[in-house]
């Protein structure tokens, strides 16, 4: 009996599935049939009423099958399985729907007495970096600014400080060496996951709550060392507008309506623009340190559709999912050993039972739930939340993104 295992890989660029013959899989009735007959007999013994020759648009995969047919036949039962699979997949995305955005706009207008344009402007400010596509925008800015590294990745910043003083410069604080947070997460996304080509000569330091606290601590202990770091050649400071107080890829547990109402009220109370209010705290703290950072903004279309798209997670269409399953059968399956219809049926069923998707929305929601369980576990052991120690690996990997979200 042939053994089949399907490996589903999540990639932060987009969702892709790699289907490979690797290990074991519980055989379906169709697979058992394939093991008791040779290939030609299987083809002749299929119930033709179960065949689906449904055509789908071309252009999703860069190959053509036999006789230049892009989409080969599927069993109708397989198509039904894919429908259920896609429905489950789409639910797991946990996206904020267009209807929810529209309702949030109406509710906020009533709550704040603001017009629709003001409400949409506030939502736009809050959601500038709410999906993975926004990371591309950050990458484009880094390329334009000639950035080669973020924070102290590969010790670039330490070497710059040493060279600028022409002497051994020992940085005793973690203001430079400890980049856990936004800087390490962006290093992972931009450098490791290729959201940008970091080939310039400059170094970027992103100011978030953690990095600002580190720099403020250094100012108290050794202001001269802080001044040396700030004056390092080729070091540039950046702030992602709305990242700290808005709805970002690192924190998708915030409620759109509640955050919008809060931002509009703050704007009215202070008499300041929405753009200014969202970043005023972080900008003022940077000014107190003697830093004038470049603010990176990422404006979307000022409409309900634009806000929906700003928050919409990366996702595949049903056609792309079908093409993946079909491509696997066309490229990997030897018809002399296993019928492609059987392979596609097994693939669809396995994915239906095992595919597990984590968008930023679902990841943040799961992390929030996980934290509750960790605290409860500590309490069961007679400990408090303050007794919990977290071990953070040093090497730049995907856990940097997850740790920062947590």
């Amino acid at each position: 009996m042939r053994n089949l295992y399907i490996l589903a890989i999540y990639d932060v660029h987009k969702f892709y599935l790699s289907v490979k013959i690797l290990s074991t899989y519980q055989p379906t009735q169709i697979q058992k049939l394939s093991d008791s007959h040779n290939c030609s007999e299987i083809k002749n013994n299929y119930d033709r009423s179960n065949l689906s020759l449904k055509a789908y648009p071309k252009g999703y995969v860069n190959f053509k099958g036999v006789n230049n047919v892009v989409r080969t036949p599927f069993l109708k039962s397989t198509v039904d399985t894919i429908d259920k699979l896609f429905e489950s997949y789409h639910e797991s995305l946990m996206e904020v729907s267009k209807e929810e955005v529209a309702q949030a706009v109406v509710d906020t207008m009533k709550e704040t007495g603001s017009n629709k344009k003001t409400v949409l402007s506030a939502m736009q400010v809050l959601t500038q970096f709410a999906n993975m596509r926004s990371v591309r925008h950050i990458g484009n800015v880094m390329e334009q600014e000639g950035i080669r590294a973020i924070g102290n990745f590969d010790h670039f910043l330490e070497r710059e400080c040493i060279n600028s003083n022409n002497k051994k410069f020992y940085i005793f604080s973690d203001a430079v060496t400890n980049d856990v947070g936004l800087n390490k997460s962006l290093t992972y996304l931009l450098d490791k996951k290729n959201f940008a080509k970091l080939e310039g000569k400059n170094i970027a330091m992103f100011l978030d709550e953690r990095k600002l606290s580190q720099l403020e601590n250094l100012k108290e202990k050794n202001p001269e060392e802080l001044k040396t770091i700030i004056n390092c050649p080729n070091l540039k400071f950046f702030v992602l507008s709305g990242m700290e107080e808005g709805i970002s890829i690192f924190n998708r547990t915030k409620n759109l309506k509640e955050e919008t109402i809060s931002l509009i009220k703050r704007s009215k109370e202070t008499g300041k623009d929405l753009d200014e209010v969202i970043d005023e705290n972080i900008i003022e703290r940077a000014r107190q340190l003697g830093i004038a950072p470049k603010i990176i903004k990422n404006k979307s279309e000022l409409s309900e559709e634009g806000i929906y798209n700003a928050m919409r997670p990366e996702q595949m269409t049903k056609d792309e999912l079908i093409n993946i399953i079909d491509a696997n059968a066309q490229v990997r399956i030897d018809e002399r050993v296993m019928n492609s219809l059987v392979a596609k049926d097994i693939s669809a069923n396995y994915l239906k039972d095992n595919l597990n998707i984590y968008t930023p929305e679902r990841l943040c929601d799961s992390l929030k739930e996980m934290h509750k369980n960790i605290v409860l576990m500590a309490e069961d052991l007679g400990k408090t939340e303050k007794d919990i120690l977290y071990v953070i690996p040093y090497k730049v990997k995907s856990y940097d993104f997850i740790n920062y979200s947590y």
Side-chain angles (χ1 to χ4, degrees):
M1 182 179 295
R2 296 286 293 181
N3 295 323
L4 184 69
Y5 176 82
I6 300 168
L7 177 65
I9 300 175
Y10 168 67
D11 187 282
V12 294
H13 292 284
K14 201 169 184 181
F15 299 110
Y16 292 103
L17 305 177
S18 177
V19 185
K20 300 181 179 180
I21 298 175
L22 293 175
S23 185
T24 60
Y25 176 73
Q26 185 67 34
T28 63
Q29 194 62 38
I30 297 176
Q31 185 181 0
K32 291 176 181 177
L33 176 65
S34 74
D35 291 319
S36 60
H37 300 75
N38 64 42
C39 193
S40 60
E41 287 176 327
I42 298 172
K43 291 181 179 179
N44 294 331
N45 285 325
Y46 275 129
D47 178 2
R48 304 303 291 182
S49 65
N50 192 33
L51 278 175
S52 171
L53 296 174
K54 185 176 180 180
Y56 290 87
K58 299 180 180 180
Y60 291 100
V61 288
N62 296 320
F63 76 96
K64 291 187 178 181
V66 180
N67 298 322
N68 287 329
V69 176
V70 174
R71 184 64 58 73
T72 59
F74 281 68
L75 294 172
K76 286 183 178 178
S77 59
T78 305
V79 174
D80 291 340
T81 299
I82 292 174
D83 288 340
K84 294 176 183 176
L85 162 62
F86 189 77
E87 182 180 354
S88 174
Y89 158 76
H90 197 267
E91 288 177 358
S92 71
L93 299 175
M94 296 183 68
E95 73 171 17
V96 177
S97 68
K98 295 178 183 179
E99 293 74 20
E100 290 174 306
V101 171
Q103 189 60 52
V105 171
V106 172
D107 292 344
T108 304
M109 289 171 63
K110 291 180 181 178
E111 178 76 20
T112 63
S114 303
N115 58 37
K116 189 173 184 178
K117 182 178 180 181
T118 298
V119 173
L120 288 173
S121 296
M123 289 182 172
Q124 184 189 67
V125 167
L126 287 163
T127 60
Q128 294 178 76
F129 298 97
N131 63 44
M132 294 304 298
R133 294 182 297 281
S134 63
V135 180
R136 289 285 187 198
H137 176 68
I138 300 172
N140 290 337
V141 175
M142 293 297 96
E143 291 175 4
Q144 293 166 10
E145 294 288 334
I147 301 300
R148 65 169 171 171
I150 297 171
N152 198 38
F153 179 60
D154 280 350
H155 305 284
F156 283 136
L157 184 52
E158 279 184 284
R159 289 199 291 272
E160 290 286 354
C161 289
I162 293 170
N163 293 337
S164 67
N165 287 277
N166 294 316
K167 64 180 180 179
K168 186 175 182 181
F169 181 73
Y170 179 69
I171 301 171
F172 67 84
S173 76
D174 61 358
V176 168
T177 57
N178 185 354
D179 281 327
V180 171
L182 183 57
N183 286 274
K184 222 171 179 189
S185 297
L186 289 178
T187 293
Y188 168 70
L189 291 173
L190 297 179
D191 185 72
K192 299 297 185 180
K193 302 310 294 181
N194 300 314
F195 272 91
K197 293 182 178 179
L198 303 182
E199 300 174 339
K201 64 177 182 178
N202 299 318
I203 298 168
M205 181 177 284
F206 285 84
L207 301 178
D208 63 343
E209 171 61 35
R210 179 181 292 272
K211 185 57 66 178
L212 279 170
S213 295
Q214 291 172 341
L215 292 170
E216 288 165 346
N217 185 50
L218 179 59
K219 182 179 180 180
E220 288 184 13
K221 293 181 177 179
N222 193 331
E224 287 302 313
E225 186 170 310
L226 173 65
K227 190 179 297 184
T228 301
I229 293 172
I230 292 175
N231 293 328
C232 276
N234 304 324
L235 174 60
K236 295 188 175 186
F237 292 91
F238 297 92
V239 167
L240 295 179
S241 184
M243 174 63 73
E244 202 66 34
E245 297 191 25
I247 300 173
S248 74
I249 55 173
F250 301 105
N251 188 354
R252 289 304 308 267
T253 61
K254 294 182 178 180
N255 181 276
L256 177 63
K257 184 181 77 172
E258 292 174 0
E259 295 300 323
T260 304
I261 290 173
S262 176
L263 181 61
I264 290 175
K265 287 183 175 180
R266 284 170 55 195
S267 177
K268 289 183 175 181
E269 290 169 359
T270 60
K272 297 178 180 178
D273 292 339
L274 295 165
D275 275 320
E276 187 178 358
V277 171
I278 194 72
D279 298 317
E280 64 176 345
N281 179 52
I282 205 163
I283 297 301
E284 175 57 24
R285 289 173 66 183
R287 189 186 68 79
Q288 293 290 336
L289 292 168
I291 300 171
K294 178 183 178 67
I295 303 175
I296 301 176
K297 299 182 180 182
N298 184 35
K299 294 299 180 72
S300 59
E301 178 187 331
L302 199 62
S303 66
E304 293 172 0
E305 181 80 14
I307 303 304
Y308 162 73
N309 286 327
M311 300 183 72
R312 182 177 182 268
E314 286 291 85
Q315 55 192 276
M316 60 183 165
T317 65
K318 185 183 290 186
D319 276 321
E320 289 172 321
L321 174 59
I322 292 171
N323 271 333
I324 289 166
I325 295 172
D326 191 41
N328 173 68
Q330 290 194 46
V331 173
R332 298 185 184 278
I333 301 302
D334 186 344
E335 286 275 1
R336 294 170 298 178
V337 178
M338 177 183 286
N339 185 278
S340 64
L341 290 171
V342 173
K344 284 182 281 189
D345 186 73
I346 294 172
S347 299
N349 275 284
Y350 188 89
L351 289 174
K352 181 176 71 68
D353 295 337
N354 295 280
L355 182 61
N356 205 356
I357 296 295
Y358 280 89
T359 59
E361 291 87 339
R362 189 177 177 211
L363 176 63
C364 290
D365 186 73
S366 298
L367 289 172
K368 194 172 182 178
E369 186 64 28
M370 184 182 76
H371 179 67
K372 291 179 183 178
N373 293 332
I374 291 173
V375 173
L376 287 173
M377 184 174 66
E379 290 176 354
D380 289 341
L381 296 171
K383 303 293 182 180
T384 69
E385 192 169 344
K386 292 182 179 180
D387 296 316
I388 300 172
L389 298 179
Y390 294 92
V391 177
I392 303 175
Y394 177 77
K395 192 174 178 64
V396 178
K397 300 284 285 185
S398 58
Y399 43 64
D400 288 301
F401 181 97
I402 295 172
N403 287 338
Y404 189 47
S405 296
Y406 180 76

